[in-house]
Amino acid sequence: MSDVRLYVHAVWAVKNRAPLLNLEKHERLFHHIQAYTVVKHIELLALNGHVDHLHALIRLQATQSIGQVMRLIKGQSAWWANKERIFERDLNWAVGYYARSVEPKRLKVVKNYISNQDKHHTSVEVMKYLGQIEKPENEMI
Ligand SMILES: [Zn+2]
């Protein structure tokens, strides 16, 4: 038998970090991603975000890779949001994502961190990652 416990904290951003995911509407996107991951057998332990990026805590199955899971979540969620016209503009995700493995004993901490996204951003690594995503100079964020 196998005993697989692989947890990943993933972060991905809206292209150019445009602040599209306004708070009244992002709940629909969250619900959709939650339902979609169930269908795809992706174990999503937490999901939350700000206006320009999302955080997820994912338990990878033995047959899954983070690349495969992120491609499914990002690709399908943008397609759906645009089909349903959830946001004022088309939703495009920035290329790539941030991913870090999470030790099983730190799951609670990371879960709380993700749940409290509307409060302060305390992860230096996440801030650094998001800071690398290019923003057009004229766009107000
Ligand atoms: Zn964040």
Side-chain angles (χ1 to χ4, degrees):
M1 66 161 277
S2 307
D3 180 1
V4 178
R5 271 187 256 179
L6 298 171
Y7 301 95
V8 178
H9 175 198
V11 179
W12 64 100
V14 179
K15 189 176 178 184
N16 301 325
R17 291 189 60 198
L20 264 190
L21 314 176
N22 60 61
L23 300 180
E24 302 92 64
K25 292 174 180 172
H26 78 184
E27 283 297 323
R28 276 191 75 191
L29 179 67
F30 289 175
H31 287 145
H32 176 76
I33 292 174
Q34 273 151 356
Y36 176 72
T37 52
V38 170
V39 171
K40 289 291 174 186
H41 307 290
I42 296 165
E43 204 174 322
L44 188 63
L45 303 174
L47 178 71
N48 204 351
H50 283 285
V51 290
D52 61 359
H53 68 274
L54 296 187
H55 289 250
L57 180 61
I58 296 159
R59 180 177 183 172
L60 289 178
Q61 308 300 307
T63 53
Q64 294 171 335
S65 72
I66 186 63
Q68 179 189 44
V69 165
M70 293 309 298
R71 193 165 54 244
L72 286 172
I73 294 177
K74 287 177 68 186
Q76 209 279 345
S77 60
W79 175 83
W80 174 83
N82 295 336
K83 181 175 70 85
E84 298 288 318
R85 300 183 183 280
I86 304 293
F87 302 107
E88 295 92 70
R89 285 190 275 153
D90 269 2
L91 171 62
N92 293 297
W93 299 118
V95 173
Y97 50 87
Y98 162 104
R100 293 291 185 274
S101 58
V102 178
E103 281 181 83
K105 66 179 179 191
R106 290 199 69 243
L107 280 179
K108 232 184 194 161
V109 175
V110 176
K111 242 184 192 175
N112 285 342
Y113 172 74
I114 292 175
S115 306
N116 292 317
Q117 274 300 296
D118 21 2
K119 291 182 195 144
H120 207 64
H121 231 163
T122 49
S123 166
V124 176
E125 276 200 320
V126 173
M127 290 298 284
K128 205 173 145 197
Y129 169 73
L130 291 172
Q132 287 163 355
I133 295 173
E134 279 184 42
K135 292 184 210 175
E137 273 175 28
N138 302 327
E139 194 157 350
M140 288 299 293
I141 299 293

